[in-house]
């Protein structure tokens, strides 16, 4: 899902009117909050609005092929003259930066500089905000000529960094870095080689809470391992005896996985968790130190299968792909191939409407800054939905809030920023990732509009 969505997003460069975006200050509407009205498997983008609550109930999901698999990519257009973006009351939206090239992941340095990966342009840029953080006053190219960079991370932390780690499609490297640098201090140092081939391109990274391990996400080479060879029962038993639970093989070897490598180790990465079809975002939850993955699930089982999700990732955990989904639900296209794995797949924590294509998850941290969100947002997460291509009725294209209670997910998510869908065929923005600034405001990248927005709260 995500690889194709990203390519579609880059086509937007041809049609999005950059001058119009640069000039605009997005008008905001504040529609009244609505009660939870999104039962499992039902999505109506025309009803999306800040405050609309969603909860996907596994028991209420349809059977496979209840509706046909759909090929329905969006047509990306320039912002319509009457288009507005909606936020909850009290929030404000500004255009932070324009004329980027498909901005995706962002990373905020201790001095306020914002690093952004422009994946299809092969570049990492540095944005220098104005004193009030409302917009980027200048931009510099930190790195160029990279192979589809996405994930970014400081080590050991943003406050006292020694290294900037960068995840490209085929490798992870690091660059000597001190706060304020706008160019690498030395040549890239190799960290890990990653499996290459067809399929999902996004590679994200995150360090363990104790700083000892680097986690790396690698998406699958296919939808449901269509080209993977079949194994006899005896061969499966032998394979499983020497590999992580649910590990795939052939061109899917070490894919649809989260890998880990010791920070001080020269050994190749090992498998940390399996069965995560396209884990596009890795995040450490500050309150708990737990690793989270946000993943795009499989296509062509119908409009409402299979829900995308965010979940805590257990070491050695198996999350189903390609044989099962959401626990013991068997993919009918691989029926009977892995009876040994039945009942062993972990059910993810937070399910999203199928085909929403979530691309990031950011836990909101209390800052006390002048633009900080109200206290009830502290500890909750924000997830950017890039939007559907595999659903007959469009879904996604918004920013949602994932609710937490005492550090644990409730399973609900709430519309926070909506309005990028113009009509059933056309969209004018595709959210990718968020990052929190020191003043408590939140940045949101849009790789269709080639811009970054800033969301703040007026106290």
């Amino acid at each position: 899902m995500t690889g194709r969505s990203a390519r579609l997003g880059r086509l937007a460069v041809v049609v999005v009117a950059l001058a119009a975006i640069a000039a605009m200050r997005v008008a905001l509407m504040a529609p009244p909050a609505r009660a939870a009205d999104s039962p499992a498997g039902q999505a109506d983008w025309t009803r999306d609005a800040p405050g609309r609550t969603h909860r996907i109930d596994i028991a209420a999901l349809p059977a496979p092929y209840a509706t046909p698999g759909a090929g329905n990519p969006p047509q990306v257009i320039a912002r319509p003259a009457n288009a507005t973006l909606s936020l909850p009351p009290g929030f404000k939206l500004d255009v932070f930066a324009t004329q980027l090239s498909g901005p995706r992941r962002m990373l905020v340095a201790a001095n306020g500089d914002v690093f952004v990966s422009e994946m299809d342009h092969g570049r990492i840029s540095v944005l220098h905000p104005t004193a009030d953080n409302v917009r980027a006053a200048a931009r510099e190219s930190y790195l160029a000529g990279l192979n589809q960079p996405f994930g970014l991370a400081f080590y050991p932390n943003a406050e006292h960094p020694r290294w900037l780690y960068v995840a490209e499609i085929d490798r992870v490297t690091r660059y000597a870095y001190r706060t304020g640098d706008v160019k690498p201090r030395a040549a890239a140092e190799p960290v890990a080689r990653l499996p290459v081939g067809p399929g999902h391109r996004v590679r994200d990274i995150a360090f363990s809470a104790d700083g000892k391990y680097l986690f790396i996400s690698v998406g699958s080479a296919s939808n449901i391992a269509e080209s993977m060879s079949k194994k006899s029962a005896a061969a499966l038993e032998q394979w499983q005896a020497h590999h992580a639970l649910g590990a795939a093989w052939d061109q899917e070897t070490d894919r649809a996985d989260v890998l880990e490598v010791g920070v001080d180790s020269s050994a190749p990465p090992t498998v940390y968790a399996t069965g995560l079809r396209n884990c596009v975002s890795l995040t450490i939850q500050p309150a708990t130190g737990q690793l989270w993955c946000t993943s795009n699930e499989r296509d062509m089982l119908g409009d409402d299968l299979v829900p995308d999700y965010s979940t805590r990732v257990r070491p050695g955990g198996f999350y189903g792909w390609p044989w099962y989904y959401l626990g013991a639900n068997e993919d009918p296209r691989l029926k009977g191939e892995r009876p040994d794995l039945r009942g062993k797949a972990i059910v993810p924590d937070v399910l999203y409407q199928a085909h929403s294509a979530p691309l990031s998850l950011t836990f909101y941290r209390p800052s006390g800054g002048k633009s900080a969100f109200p206290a009830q947002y502290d500890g909750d997460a924000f997830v950017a939905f890039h939007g559907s291509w595999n659903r007959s009725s469009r879904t996604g294209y918004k920013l949602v809030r994932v609710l937490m209670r005492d550090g644990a997910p409730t399973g609900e998510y709430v519309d926070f920023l909506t309005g990028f869908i113009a009509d059933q065929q056309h969209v004018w923005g595709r959210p990718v990732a968020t990052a929190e600034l020191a003043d408590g405001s939140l940045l949101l990248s849009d790789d269709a509009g080639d811009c970054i927005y800033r969301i703040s709260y007026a106290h």
Side-chain angles (χ1 to χ4, degrees):
M1 179 184 298
T2 303
R4 184 170 179 180
S5 296
R7 291 192 293 273
L8 291 168
R10 295 305 310 129
L11 292 176
V13 176
V14 182
V15 293
V16 173
L18 290 174
I21 294 178
M24 79 172 181
R25 288 178 64 89
V26 182
L28 297 178
M29 298 186 300
R34 306 185 185 189
D37 59 357
S38 182
Q42 296 184 11
D44 180 358
W45 65 266
T46 65
R47 300 175 66 191
D48 284 351
R52 185 185 183 202
T53 301
H54 307 256
R55 185 186 187 97
I56 304 299
D57 180 4
I58 294 177
L61 289 171
Y65 307 121
T67 56
N72 182 26
Q75 298 178 42
V76 181
I77 61 173
R79 174 181 175 262
N82 62 345
T84 58
L85 293 175
S86 299
L87 282 165
F91 287 89
K92 178 186 178 184
L93 194 71
D94 292 287
V95 178
F96 180 80
T98 61
Q99 298 182 335
L100 298 165
S101 296
R104 306 212 99 191
R105 264 298 201 188
M106 296 173 291
L107 182 67
V108 181
N111 68 340
D113 284 348
V114 179
F115 285 73
V116 55
S117 58
E118 297 169 274
M119 185 172 173
D120 287 343
H121 199 76
R123 181 172 66 196
I124 307 296
S125 291
V126 185
L127 306 179
H128 304 294
T130 54
D132 59 6
N133 281 328
V134 172
R135 62 181 178 85
R139 179 182 68 204
E140 299 184 74
S141 177
Y142 181 82
L143 283 168
L146 302 180
N147 189 2
Q148 302 179 71
F150 185 83
L152 304 168
F154 289 127
Y155 184 82
N157 51 54
E159 290 73 28
H160 303 96
R162 300 199 311 269
W163 303 96
L164 172 66
Y165 281 65
V166 178
E168 300 173 66
I169 193 171
D170 57 347
R171 65 177 185 167
V172 176
T173 55
R174 68 180 187 179
Y175 299 83
Y177 172 81
R178 297 296 182 273
T179 301
D181 287 355
V182 295
K183 293 291 181 185
R185 290 174 171 251
E189 293 191 8
V191 174
R193 301 298 304 182
L194 304 179
V196 296
H200 297 109
R201 307 175 299 152
V202 170
R203 308 288 183 261
D204 203 15
I205 51 178
F207 288 100
S208 60
D210 61 10
K212 294 181 178 180
Y213 296 95
L214 175 68
F215 299 113
I216 310 166
S217 65
V218 181
S220 69
S222 62
N223 184 29
I224 52 158
E226 294 89 342
S227 66
M228 196 166 68
S229 61
K230 310 301 181 185
K231 290 183 180 290
S232 66
L236 280 173
E237 183 176 359
Q238 183 178 18
W239 171 265
Q240 194 61 85
H242 296 91
H243 294 83
L245 180 69
W249 53 89
D250 294 343
Q251 69 173 358
E252 302 290 357
T253 299
D254 290 339
R255 301 196 62 169
D257 293 340
V258 172
L259 309 178
E260 70 172 343
V261 61
V263 170
D264 298 320
S265 173
S266 60
T270 57
V271 174
Y272 182 81
T274 62
L276 297 152
R277 177 180 174 269
N278 188 22
C279 180
V280 288
S281 173
L282 290 175
T283 314
I284 297 295
Q285 185 177 6
T288 64
Q290 292 178 306
L291 177 67
W292 280 70
C293 158
T294 297
S295 189
N296 293 182
E297 256 292 351
R298 67 204 75 193
D299 299 323
M300 307 310 291
L301 286 181
D303 278 356
D304 299 318
L305 289 179
V306 171
D308 299 327
Y309 59 82
S310 294
T311 191
R312 291 166 287 192
V313 184
R314 302 181 195 172
F318 169 57
Y319 290 82
W321 187 88
W323 301 281
Y324 295 90
Y325 62 89
L326 307 183
N329 294 285
E330 189 172 32
D331 193 307
R333 296 163 292 189
L334 301 173
K335 187 174 179 59
E337 290 191 10
R338 293 301 302 268
D340 58 308
L341 294 177
R342 182 177 295 277
K344 296 181 179 180
I346 297 170
V347 178
D349 289 309
V350 184
L351 306 182
Y352 308 124
Q353 170 60 50
H355 315 303
S356 293
L359 293 193
S360 66
L361 181 146
T362 300
F363 286 98
Y364 190 81
R365 306 182 73 165
S367 70
K370 64 179 181 179
S371 298
F373 296 4
Q376 60 264 33
Y377 287 84
D378 293 349
D380 286 353
F382 287 95
V383 177
F385 286 2
H386 201 229
S388 62
W389 73 266
N390 187 224
R391 197 171 193 279
S392 59
S393 179
R394 205 153 303 291
T395 193
Y397 308 94
K398 59 186 176 180
L399 181 65
V400 304
R401 173 188 176 193
V402 174
L403 303 182
M404 299 282 168
R405 183 179 297 120
D406 298 326
T410 67
E412 294 179 313
Y413 65 99
V414 183
D415 291 348
F416 185 75
L417 171 67
T418 62
F420 284 114
I421 302 177
D423 55 42
Q424 191 64 264
Q425 288 75 42
H426 303 93
V427 304
W428 60 277
R430 305 197 72 179
V432 178
T434 53
E436 186 179 348
L437 296 180
D439 67 357
S441 59
L442 194 70
L443 299 181
L444 172 67
S445 60
D446 169 12
D447 69 354
D450 284 342
C451 65
I452 295 173
Y453 298 98
R454 174 180 178 267
I455 304 169
S456 57
Y457 187 78
H459 291 269

